[in-house]
Amino acid sequence: LWAFAKVGVVPETLFSKLYDNVVEGAESLETPALAAALLVSARGIVGHLPVQRANADGAADAQNTHQDPAKPVICDWRLLDACEERVQASVQDFDTRDLTSVILAYSLAHAGSLELFAVLHKSCLDRCRLFTMEQVATLGWCFATIRLGSSFFKEAQFDVLDKLSQLTIPAICDLLWSFCAARHRDPHFFKALLSVLVPSRVANEPRCALLCPALLDIRSSLPDMDPEGVDRYLNYTRGIFHQTQLANLPSPEAMQSIEEVLKALGATYE
């Protein structure tokens, strides 16, 4: 599963059979394999795996190597649901890399109970100083996505400032967004992160798209914090953020249903 996902070519029939086998034998997986399988499963659920489907004659279609949103996803929630109890019981057995993968998997797929995330969150707080900066950025995105509060952000903030040079530009953008989403807004912290951004690295870069909503939040919540600089970076990132939003639009049927509900409620919308 991990290998097919890594190389970016996922033969649908074979992958589905492998996935079924992993689900059936999940209890026997060692923790690194379990973490990898959970993350691949989550990526399959949200359509991040480029699926290679077969033609009518059974041959692989080399042109069809993308996830078609109109068709069922290649994975489901069985593995994530089946392993939740084990993850809670053995959370200390995961090293920081595998723990990050597990948290990313459940956050990405919007799976897992509040009890599971409480256990995962506590484990991260206990080991906060052991995570690499890239792992901190990933965890920040996860905890902001599921709105788990600001405890982790308060704990990680000082390490981020101390090891700022270890972060990539996309990771800095993710951190800015996650701190804003968690409502942990420290202007001095934000200024430090913004000071290392490079216009040529964020402009039209999909991995930096979240910088746009972060800057919008900063402009609204901290209007006196370098408004010219904030507006300048907004101009660099607004276009690519809009493109990513369009790429993730719901189906036309879902959009029509939303419009009908809004009309029935008498709400104004664009």
Side-chain angles (χ1 to χ4, degrees):
L1 291 176
W2 176 86
F4 278 123
K6 191 69 174 178
V7 299
V9 179
V10 181
E12 183 179 28
T13 303
L14 175 59
F15 189 91
S16 297
K17 292 180 178 179
L18 290 172
Y19 177 73
D20 290 340
N21 288 339
V22 168
V23 172
E24 293 175 3
E27 294 183 0
S28 62
L29 291 175
E30 296 183 358
T31 50
L34 175 61
L38 289 172
L39 184 53
V40 171
S41 176
R43 291 181 62 200
I45 288 172
V46 298
H48 286 182
L49 299 181
V51 179
Q52 185 180 61
R53 291 189 165 90
N55 292 323
D57 59 1
D61 183 358
Q63 301 299 319
N64 191 8
T65 56
H66 65 280
Q67 181 69 36
D68 184 353
K71 297 181 180 180
V73 295
I74 199 169
C75 294
D76 53 32
W77 283 266
R78 284 179 297 157
L79 184 63
L80 291 160
D81 292 342
C83 295
E84 179 174 335
E85 185 175 338
R86 177 185 168 184
V87 170
Q88 289 190 56
S90 59
V91 67
Q92 296 304 322
D93 295 337
F94 293 97
D95 62 22
T96 54
R97 182 184 63 178
D98 293 335
L99 179 60
T100 303
S101 294
V102 169
I103 295 172
L104 178 58
Y106 280 96
S107 302
L108 195 62
H110 294 282
S113 63
L114 291 176
E115 292 77 11
L116 171 65
F117 277 106
V119 170
L120 295 173
H121 187 248
K122 183 179 185 306
S123 182
C124 288
L125 291 176
D126 293 342
R127 291 190 265 177
C128 191
R129 300 291 183 270
L130 302 178
F131 291 106
T132 68
M133 286 300 97
E134 290 297 307
Q135 289 169 350
V136 169
T138 298
L139 292 171
W141 180 90
C142 294
F143 292 139
T145 297
I146 59 175
R147 303 297 191 267
L148 205 57
S150 60
S151 299
F152 176 79
F153 299 92
K154 294 177 181 177
E155 191 71 22
Q157 178 174 334
F158 300 103
D159 280 344
V160 171
L161 289 174
D162 189 47
K163 302 174 183 177
L164 195 55
S165 61
Q166 299 178 18
L167 284 163
T168 63
I169 296 298
I172 292 174
C173 295
D174 286 346
L175 276 172
L176 282 166
W177 175 83
S178 62
F179 271 75
C180 289
R183 300 182 180 180
H184 185 60
R185 305 180 181 98
D186 183 336
H188 300 291
F189 177 72
F190 286 165
K191 286 180 181 178
L193 266 61
L194 289 171
S195 68
V196 299
L197 294 181
V198 181
S200 61
R201 296 287 303 278
V202 302
N204 299 318
E205 171 55 67
R207 294 179 300 166
C208 296
L210 286 179
L211 179 60
C212 180
L215 292 172
L216 289 172
D217 181 86
I218 291 172
R219 188 172 66 177
S220 174
S221 303
L222 304 168
D224 296 329
M225 200 194 89
D226 189 15
E228 292 183 359
V230 169
D231 286 343
R232 184 169 63 253
Y233 275 100
L234 268 173
N235 290 332
Y236 293 140
T237 57
R238 184 179 281 110
I240 192 63
F241 176 68
H242 181 63
Q243 291 178 26
T244 59
Q245 293 298 292
L246 290 177
N248 294 318
L249 279 177
S251 65
E253 294 78 12
M255 292 296 293
Q256 182 179 356
S257 176
I258 294 172
E259 290 180 2
E260 291 173 355
V261 171
L262 291 173
K263 288 180 181 178
L265 294 173
T268 58
Y269 63 94
E270 294 184 3

